Amino acid sequence: FLMDLIDGRLDSFIQKLRRYLLQCTSVKDFKNESHYHTFVLGAFLGIHATHDVHSNKESGLGFMDMVLVPRDTQATQAILFEFKHVPTDSKTRKDLKQLSKHARAAVITGLKQIHLRGYDQFLAHYPAVQQVVKIGVAFANRWVSAGSITTSVRSDGALVQDTFQKKEITFYEGS
């Protein structure tokens, strides 16, 4: 499922991640954002040979949750993550419409945080990076939703200052 992420098939990545969470984990396994963060960091060990994986890296006005930067200088796309935990109760867990609504709001919050805090500034140190896929991921027990916005880096290495527009978000909620 990691190759889906690297190859830009985010919908497939989220579907497989959700399926894995549903089949292999318990609602008791994840109580807060740091539990999900550690879980994803462990999963990304599978691409450590091809990508620099940075966790809680200081950048801009804070700490981005995770960033994947290709080691191959011919690969030009970095992937930046912000994770959000969506608290649920027994009623919310059973109402997929409400769960999806809360998760989508958390995805938007994560993407806004990436934008407002300038987490992508760290990527200016990687001259081969020409595109940044910013992904907000919301976890609610074993439910996962994500949204992404892709921005460009100028040929001189400066980041293109994008404006955050909700309409530019592509959502991935799997099935």
Side-chain angles (χ1 to χ4, degrees):
F1 86 122
L2 294 177
M3 288 314 298
D4 288 327
L5 173 64
I6 299 307
D7 292 340
R9 297 185 304 269
L10 297 178
D11 197 37
S12 180
F13 170 74
I14 293 301
Q15 285 179 14
K16 290 175 182 177
L17 178 58
R18 178 179 296 149
R19 193 173 8 223
Y20 180 80
L21 288 170
L22 288 170
Q23 292 173 353
C24 302
T25 67
S26 165
V27 295
K28 295 180 180 185
D29 290 335
F30 303 103
K31 298 291 183 196
N32 57 48
E33 185 178 312
S34 67
H35 291 155
Y36 293 104
H37 186 116
T38 302
F39 166 77
V40 173
L41 182 60
F44 286 171
L45 285 175
I47 58 170
H48 192 263
T50 60
H51 286 72
D52 289 332
V53 179
H54 298 278
S55 173
N56 288 312
K57 184 74 177 168
E58 187 171 6
S59 183
L61 299 174
F63 294 85
M64 64 181 120
D65 281 338
M66 207 164 298
V67 64
L68 309 176
V69 183
R71 292 180 180 198
D72 179 356
T73 56
Q74 300 302 309
T76 60
Q77 182 173 279
I79 305 169
L80 196 157
F81 291 90
E82 183 61 35
F83 304 122
K84 293 297 175 192
H85 174 247
V86 179
T88 61
D89 56 26
S90 59
K91 181 182 175 187
T92 309
R93 270 178 275 196
K94 295 175 185 174
D95 185 345
L96 290 180
K97 187 175 180 180
Q98 284 299 311
L99 195 60
S100 179
K101 176 183 169 186
H102 293 300
R104 191 174 273 242
V107 164
I108 293 168
T109 298
L111 289 169
K112 279 183 184 176
Q113 183 175 333
I114 291 170
H115 174 73
L116 293 173
R117 295 190 182 169
Y119 290 164
D120 54 2
Q121 292 177 16
F122 165 77
L123 295 168
H125 301 290
Y126 289 87
V129 171
Q130 296 175 8
Q131 225 178 28
V132 182
V133 179
K134 302 169 187 178
I135 304 175
V137 183
F139 292 98
N141 287 322
R142 299 180 305 159
W143 177 271
V144 59
S145 292
S148 70
I149 295 176
T150 301
T151 58
S152 299
V153 178
R154 294 194 323 231
S155 60
D156 65 0
L159 295 166
V160 173
Q161 292 301 322
D162 60 310
T163 57
F164 182 83
Q165 302 281 330
K166 285 185 196 176
K167 65 183 177 190
E168 295 175 355
I169 300 172
T170 303
F171 287 96
Y172 309 94
E173 297 185 299
S175 54

